[in-house]
Amino acid sequence: MLEFISQFSPAMQALIATLFTWLMTAVGAASVFTAKNFNQKVLDGMLGLAGGVMIAASFWSLLSPAIEMAEASGKIAWIPAAIGFLCGGLFIMLFDKILPHLHPMSPMEQAEGIHPERKRRSTLLVLAITMHNIPEGLAIGVAFGSVAAGYSSASLAGALALAIGIGIQNLPEGVAVSVPLRREGMSRLKSFWYGQLSGMVEPFAAVIGALAVVFVQPLLPYALSFAAGAMIFVVAEEVIPSSHENGNHDLASMAVMIGFTIMMILDVALG
């Protein structure tokens, strides 16, 4: 697998990896074809698992390499990490205030952004997940771009581990969009279409991230940290709270622990 991926450019590597993560979103959305009703406990557990994967990926695959890169280049190691991390969170927060969207499992009255009442529920749900998939795509692109830049703290296996981890957590995101739409009476095909649509942005964001790193290498520690901050904001603002909304607190919390462990093992073993 590594030999096959290594023959491509960083942008193409990022594209291939995010086509996989998009596929995983589609697999999750396809649950509407196999189940009439999706068990809420299972969905909350999957959301918790996704949150744990994202937290672990933010540190092991993004923040830690950013700190090592800054240190190797003679900079004060924590400065790029701190600036990039906070800027990533602020970016998603501002995007959250502007873009009309609706978090999965929330009623229409809780739609956010500018004039959300002018959009259909299906559009708002897709926009919410799409907004959160942007930092995931950027993270994968930056990870592959950092390998091409020749940093010792970056490896192709580590970038692949990040893509696998994000792919795992994309599965419940597809479910979280398609299942509520199906419950409201939308056809299975339309519910699936809107569910998988949310993952379409990741390949575009990944290619942009990879190209940006290749051409502006000094910004790499900031870019990695930016992606980490954006992902952590998403976890804190939506993923974990959504997993607790239905009272399955212990299940969701344990799933976060398991997701973190899975991603940590992937990153350490492959990276």
Side-chain angles (χ1 to χ4, degrees):
M1 181 64 175
L2 288 176
E3 291 181 5
F4 172 74
I5 292 289
S6 63
Q7 63 184 311
F8 297 104
S9 68
M12 184 58 67
Q13 290 172 350
L15 178 61
I16 293 170
T18 45
L19 287 176
F20 162 72
T21 63
W22 181 11
L23 174 64
M24 292 298 286
T25 305
V27 170
S31 60
V32 293
F33 293 116
T34 59
K36 186 175 182 180
N37 293 305
F38 206 87
N39 187 289
Q40 189 62 50
K41 283 189 175 182
V42 174
L43 182 54
D44 290 343
M46 291 173 70
L47 286 171
L49 189 79
V53 167
M54 292 175 73
I55 293 170
S58 297
F59 177 75
W60 295 99
S61 299
L62 300 170
L63 269 180
S64 181
I67 292 169
E68 291 178 18
M69 290 173 190
E71 195 170 36
S73 62
K75 300 175 183 175
I76 299 175
W78 57 267
I79 290 180
I83 293 174
F85 186 79
L86 292 174
C87 286
L90 284 170
F91 173 78
I92 295 297
M93 184 180 74
L94 292 173
F95 212 27
D96 198 58
K97 299 292 184 186
I98 296 170
L99 187 73
H101 65 282
L102 177 68
H103 299 306
M105 313 303 169
S106 299
M108 276 296 290
E109 307 84 70
Q110 295 181 13
E112 301 174 15
I114 298 175
H115 303 306
E117 69 280 355
R118 298 179 185 176
K119 304 287 186 181
R120 295 195 307 176
R121 180 179 177 85
S122 57
T123 303
L124 291 171
L125 283 170
V126 172
L127 287 174
I129 302 298
T130 299
M131 175 179 66
H132 297 158
N133 280 349
I134 291 174
E136 295 168 13
L138 285 173
I140 293 173
V142 169
F144 280 102
S146 65
V147 177
Y151 286 94
S152 59
S153 57
S155 69
L156 186 57
L160 281 174
L162 176 62
I164 292 170
I166 288 178
I168 291 170
Q169 69 90 34
N170 273 6
L171 200 149
E173 287 187 350
V175 176
V177 175
S178 60
V179 168
L181 294 176
R182 177 60 184 159
R183 284 175 180 168
E184 292 173 7
M186 186 175 285
S187 71
R188 294 181 190 274
L189 187 59
K190 278 191 174 182
S191 299
F192 166 75
W193 171 254
Y194 283 116
Q196 65 80 36
L197 195 65
S198 61
M200 192 180 292
V201 70
E202 286 192 4
F204 295 100
V207 171
I208 292 170
L211 291 175
V213 167
V214 170
F215 289 109
V216 195
Q217 290 189 21
L219 294 179
L220 183 53
Y222 294 93
L224 286 166
S225 304
F226 180 94
M231 287 175 64
I232 290 295
F233 185 91
V234 169
V235 173
E237 198 262 348
E238 182 193 340
V239 178
I240 291 179
S242 294
S243 70
H244 285 242
E245 281 181 357
N246 299 284
N248 298 312
H249 307 292
D250 290 342
L251 172 66
S253 297
M254 198 63 230
V256 170
M257 302 290 291
I258 294 171
F260 186 98
T261 304
I262 290 172
M263 187 63 218
M264 179 179 65
I265 291 171
L266 276 174
D267 197 271
V268 175
L270 298 180

